[in-house]
Amino acid sequence: MSHDKLTLPALRLAAVSSLMLLSAQALATCSTDPYIGSVCYTAANFCPAPGYLPADGRTLNVSGYQALYSLLGNMYGGTAPATFALPDLRVRTVVGTGKQPATNVTMQPGQTRGQETTVLNPAQVPLVLHAHTLGSTTSQPITASATANLPVTVTVPAQAISVNGNLQIANDTASGQGTVTAGAILAKGGGQASIYAPASTTQANTNIGPTQTFQGTTSSQQANGTAQGQFNFAFQLPQNLSVAPAGQAASQAVSLINPQIGLTACIATAGTYPMRP
């Protein structure tokens, strides 16, 4: 049997064993020899000590964690060169960094985004159609009545008028005479005017002068008032009604959070320093 045939299966076994060992180490969380700056999760309510701190955004002194600071810098906060901050993973979901070609979205290390709630505007509220059936299998007429007071304005346009008449100097009073005031047109110089009807006259009303026609124009008049009355009207509804309400802005915030469970996030402050590629 040749040397090649003997060593090839052994090489394959060694390769498989190495992959299994690496996979087991990769799946191990909060191990005793982690890479500095790596984050692990534990179901306990504390992080293992020493070598781990909660990833809660706390600020540390650079002098006490120089190796960790060389990896994180001030990416998550703090003031260089004295202090730096740990990532705050409390109530936060972690996503990978880089650019997603499908959505053209880019995430940088330490970048935050998203919100837990939002308020929908009218354009985001979907329209919903509801079919309603009336109480009968056929459509029913509906009669309604109401009493209304309506303000009205009446405008009378200008009118041309014509008046016929003459001057009456006596009337059918008991004395059979009319009174003429001083300066009347019947007064004449040198004596009294004969303004009394003869006793034998059969006409009680005595007129002088011909009948005259007087013409003129009235001005336009406007009057305001209120019209009151009873109004009856009838309409008929179809059997099935479709109601399409318009979208309205929401008054309360809508939650955007998926179902979650809380674990304790820990960051390694000591261990193996990762080599850059």
Side-chain angles (χ1 to χ4, degrees):
M1 186 178 292
S2 66
H3 179 73
D4 293 338
K5 292 183 179 179
L6 290 175
T7 58
L8 184 57
L11 291 175
R12 290 177 177 175
L13 179 60
V16 172
S17 300
S18 299
L19 289 175
M20 293 176 63
L21 178 61
L22 290 175
S23 299
Q25 292 178 346
L27 293 174
T29 59
C30 300
S31 64
T32 57
D33 187 22
Y35 283 113
I36 298 175
S38 62
V39 174
C40 64
Y41 287 84
T42 174
N45 60 357
F46 62 91
C47 292
Y52 287 94
L53 286 176
D56 55 5
R58 67 181 62 187
T59 301
L60 303 175
N61 292 323
V62 175
S63 59
Y65 302 89
Q66 294 183 3
L68 182 60
Y69 175 71
S70 67
L71 296 172
L72 303 185
N74 293 101
M75 188 184 310
Y76 302 98
T79 303
T83 61
F84 71 103
L86 299 181
D88 190 356
L89 299 181
R90 294 173 297 179
V91 199
R92 291 293 177 265
T93 302
V94 179
V95 297
T97 59
K99 183 177 182 180
Q100 172 54 250
T103 60
N104 200 30
V105 175
T106 301
M107 284 293 293
Q108 300 294 338
Q111 178 183 349
T112 60
R113 69 172 184 176
Q115 58 190 48
E116 296 180 356
T117 60
T118 186
V119 177
L120 301 179
N121 58 45
Q124 296 171 323
V125 178
L127 298 180
V128 181
L129 296 180
H130 298 278
H132 298 273
T133 302
L134 299 179
S136 174
T137 56
T138 60
S139 59
Q140 299 292 323
I142 299 177
T143 302
S145 62
T147 300
N149 294 323
L150 303 177
V152 294
T153 300
V154 179
T155 301
V156 180
Q159 300 288 331
I161 60 174
S162 177
V163 179
N164 296 327
N166 49 30
L167 180 62
Q168 184 180 47
I169 63 172
N171 54 42
D172 54 357
T173 61
S175 59
Q177 62 186 26
T179 301
V180 179
T181 60
I185 61 171
L186 294 179
K188 67 177 181 178
Q192 297 294 328
S194 299
I195 62 173
Y196 299 102
S200 60
T201 182
T202 58
Q203 182 178 356
N205 294 330
T206 302
N207 301 324
I208 64 172
T211 298
Q212 299 293 325
T213 300
F214 303 91
Q215 295 181 344
T217 304
T218 62
S219 60
S220 175
Q221 299 293 327
Q222 179 175 301
N224 298 321
T226 301
Q228 180 178 5
Q230 185 82 13
F231 301 93
N232 297 321
F233 54 93
F235 58 93
Q236 189 166 338
L237 295 177
Q239 177 182 353
N240 294 323
L241 298 178
S242 294
V243 181
Q248 295 183 352
S251 59
Q252 296 182 350
V254 179
S255 176
L256 303 176
I257 301 176
N258 293 324
Q260 299 174 341
I261 186 171
L263 296 176
T264 303
C266 307
I267 184 169
T269 60
T272 301
Y273 192 89
M275 301 301 295
R276 295 183 182 273

